[in-house]
């Protein structure tokens, strides 16, 4: 429902809600850890509270204009669009939505359609962005922050307190993303954070490799410095891969494949969340400080991927996103010139050239349609 110029910031409020939830969970764990011996049961049981809030909120949640139009409720969709935009001047946008809905309804098999050549760049992004998001190492650090901090020398309470600090940094940095993503663009945040996260992980790896392990213990000063550098890393993630890993896939799919594309994005994300969560403790035991260098290497790879293959998508209406791929140095070689009628591809189809338009006159009886219209 968001207008193109505000889409990034509004979409990232989704990630902001996640980071607030993480911080709340850290605070609850910090408090319930002091309740012996049943505090952990209280911590686990309190997860029912947000579940109940989601259920009650769902009862009052309105539909979206797109959803109403796609199901044939055109007047209700237009009325809601007027309400959302705050103006009655929505005719052009409404017609675009109706046209997009008609094309979407002609596609009977969105998962089969998404595999076609013209949807290749979107499919690649829907797969690789959530894959890379997990290989930044953020979930490993956020899931196991108390264990990690306890391992490097903090006491039990101190490790939970440090996890609360990183959770707070996560929330604050997400606010920065909300206010900058539609001004600076997606690529700038991705690439800046790539450098920031890489440096932070290498520094942590070097400190732990040189100052910690075997009979060596981190001094208090180095332990505090490690927490600061982890916060720098978390901040970089929170204004880049955290929100943008969800934002970019949500804005690149046309309506006819959006449901399939979002399903793939979420499935890939949750699958690798599971894999990293299951593997991290074993990797930490085997790699030790090298675990940070492992994730730093992946940050380099994903930053290269963003630099070469992701075009800028800020302020582009979703209905016009196909033109962004057709102008990209790499994807324009893959996406065929396309006739979107009924989803059919015609790889030899082209728009008429300017010279053709200037030298031809279209003869349509009684229509008054001439070369100026071309």
């Amino acid at each position: 429902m968001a207008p193109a110029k505000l889409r990034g910031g509004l979409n990232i409020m989704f990630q902001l809600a996640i980071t607030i939830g993480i911080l709340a969970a850290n605070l609850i764990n910090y408090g319930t850890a002091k309740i012996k011996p049943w505090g952990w049961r209280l911590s686990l049981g309190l997860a029912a509270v947000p579940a109940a809030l989601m259920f009650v909120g769902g009862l009052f949640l309105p539909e979206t204009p797109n959803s109403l139009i796609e199901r044939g409720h055109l007047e209700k969709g237009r009325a809601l669009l007027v309400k959302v935009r705050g103006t009655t001047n929505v005719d052009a946008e409404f017609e675009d939505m109706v046209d997009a809905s008609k094309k979407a309804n002609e596609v009977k098999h969105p998962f089969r359609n998404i595999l076609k050549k013209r949807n290749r760049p979107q499919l690649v992004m829907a797969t690789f962005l959530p894959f890379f998001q997990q290989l930044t190492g953020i979930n490993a650090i956020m899931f196991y922050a108390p264990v990690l901090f306890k391992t490097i020398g903090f006491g039990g309470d101190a490790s939970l307190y440090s996890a609360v600090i990183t959770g707070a940094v996560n929330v604050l940095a997400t606010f920065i993303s909300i206010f900058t993503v539609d001004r600076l663009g997606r690529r700038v945040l991705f690439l800046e954070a790539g450098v920031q996260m890489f440096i932070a992980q290498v520094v942590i790896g070097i400190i732990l490799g040189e100052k910690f392990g075997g009979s060596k213990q981190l001094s208090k000063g180095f332990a505090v410095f490690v927490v600061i550098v982890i916060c720098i890393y978390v901040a970089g993630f929170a204004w880049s891969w955290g929100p943008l890993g969800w934002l970019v896939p949500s804005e690149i799919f046309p309506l006819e494949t959006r449901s399939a594309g979002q399903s793939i994005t979420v499935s890939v994300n949750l699958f690798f969340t599971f894999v990293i969560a299951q593997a991290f403790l074993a990797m930490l035991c085997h790699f030790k400080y090298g675990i940070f260098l492992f994730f730093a290497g992946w940050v380099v790879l994903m930053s290269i991927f963003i630099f070469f293959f992701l075009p800028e998508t800020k302020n582009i209406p979703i209905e016009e996103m196909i033109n962004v791929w057709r102008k990209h140095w790499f994807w324009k070689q893959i996406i065929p010139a396309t006739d979107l009628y009924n989803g059919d591809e015609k790889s030899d189809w082209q728009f008429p050239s300017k010279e053709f338009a200037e030298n031809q006159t279209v003869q349509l009886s009684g229509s008054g349609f001439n070369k100026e219209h071309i």
Side-chain angles (χ1 to χ4, degrees):
M1 294 196 299
K5 64 181 181 179
L6 299 175
R7 186 176 63 235
L10 289 173
N11 188 293
I12 289 173
M13 293 184 75
F14 166 81
Q15 177 70 11
L16 177 65
I18 291 178
T19 60
I20 292 173
I22 292 171
L23 177 60
N26 287 336
L27 290 168
I28 289 170
N29 288 338
Y30 181 72
T32 56
K34 301 179 183 300
I35 304 174
K36 306 293 183 180
W38 50 271
W40 67 272
R41 296 181 187 274
L42 178 61
S43 173
L44 189 61
L46 284 173
V49 174
L53 289 174
M54 283 191 288
F55 173 75
V56 174
L59 297 176
F60 299 96
L61 186 68
E63 292 287 354
T64 66
N66 261 327
S67 176
L68 289 169
I69 291 169
E70 196 166 1
R71 288 182 286 131
H73 305 299
L74 300 186
E75 290 305 315
K76 289 183 179 179
R78 193 183 192 287
L80 186 57
L81 185 62
V82 168
K83 182 179 179 181
V84 170
R85 296 290 181 253
T87 176
T88 57
N89 186 24
V90 296
D91 292 343
E93 186 176 6
F94 178 71
E95 289 301 322
D96 285 345
M97 287 182 173
V98 172
D99 290 342
S101 176
K102 288 178 180 178
K103 291 177 182 177
N105 288 331
E106 290 168 357
V107 178
K108 303 302 181 185
H109 305 286
F111 279 96
R112 186 186 304 169
N113 194 264
I114 204 173
L115 297 176
K116 291 185 177 181
K117 198 171 183 180
R118 68 166 177 271
N119 293 316
R120 194 67 45 79
Q122 297 98 317
L123 179 60
V124 169
M125 294 301 161
T127 304
F128 277 86
L129 289 182
F131 168 70
F132 283 141
Q133 186 189 55
Q134 297 310 308
L135 283 168
T136 58
I138 187 64
N139 274 343
I141 289 176
M142 298 305 288
F143 287 169
Y144 297 108
V147 176
L148 186 63
F149 290 135
K150 193 170 184 178
T151 300
I152 61 177
F154 289 87
D157 285 349
S159 65
L160 284 170
Y161 183 67
S162 300
V164 170
I165 293 175
T166 57
V169 169
N170 201 12
V171 173
L172 293 174
T174 303
F175 274 109
I176 294 175
S177 185
I178 289 174
F179 291 112
T180 58
V181 67
D182 289 315
R183 293 180 175 87
L184 301 179
R186 285 67 163 149
R187 282 171 55 87
V188 170
L189 294 179
F190 268 130
L191 296 174
E192 183 281 330
V195 175
Q196 180 174 327
M197 292 161 64
F198 172 77
I199 293 174
Q201 287 176 316
V202 169
V203 168
I204 294 169
I206 291 174
I207 291 175
L208 296 183
E210 291 294 320
K211 302 293 184 181
F212 182 73
S215 60
K216 295 182 290 184
Q217 292 292 322
L218 274 183
S219 66
K220 184 177 180 180
F222 271 114
V224 170
F225 182 66
V226 167
V227 173
I228 292 172
V229 178
I230 286 178
C231 287
I232 292 172
Y233 161 80
V234 169
F237 174 86
W239 61 56
S240 62
W241 279 96
L244 301 185
W246 295 106
L247 169 62
V248 174
S250 76
E251 64 185 1
I252 60 177
F253 284 99
L255 189 60
E256 62 264 25
T257 57
R258 193 171 302 161
S259 60
Q262 286 295 83
S263 298
I264 292 171
T265 298
V266 175
S267 297
V268 172
N269 187 292
L270 294 180
F271 175 75
F272 284 100
T273 298
F274 167 78
V275 170
I276 295 297
Q278 296 303 310
F280 177 71
L281 287 182
M283 293 169 66
L284 181 62
C285 291
H286 286 86
F287 288 2
K288 297 181 174 61
Y289 67 89
I291 189 72
F292 292 97
L293 303 181
F294 170 80
F295 287 126
W298 279 106
V299 169
V300 172
L301 289 177
M302 63 187 72
S303 297
I304 293 172
F305 175 83
I306 293 296
F307 183 81
F308 285 107
F309 299 113
L310 180 67
E312 182 55 66
T313 58
K314 74 170 182 175
N315 298 336
I316 307 294
I318 291 176
E319 293 78 12
E320 299 175 13
M321 201 65 70
I322 186 65
N323 297 322
V324 174
W325 304 109
R326 284 185 173 141
K327 294 175 183 177
H328 188 267
W329 73 273
F330 178 78
W331 297 118
K332 70 180 181 182
Q333 304 173 57
I334 294 177
I335 300 179
T338 305
D339 181 359
L340 291 179
Y341 179 75
N342 285 336
D344 294 331
E345 290 184 2
K346 299 179 182 179
S347 58
D348 58 344
W349 183 86
Q350 298 180 29
F351 286 105
S353 66
K354 181 179 179 183
E355 292 76 14
F356 176 89
E358 289 174 345
N359 290 289
Q360 300 294 321
T361 299
V362 177
Q363 302 293 334
L364 295 176
S365 177
S367 68
F369 193 90
N370 55 40
K371 69 179 181 180
E372 281 74 23
H373 290 92
I374 299 175

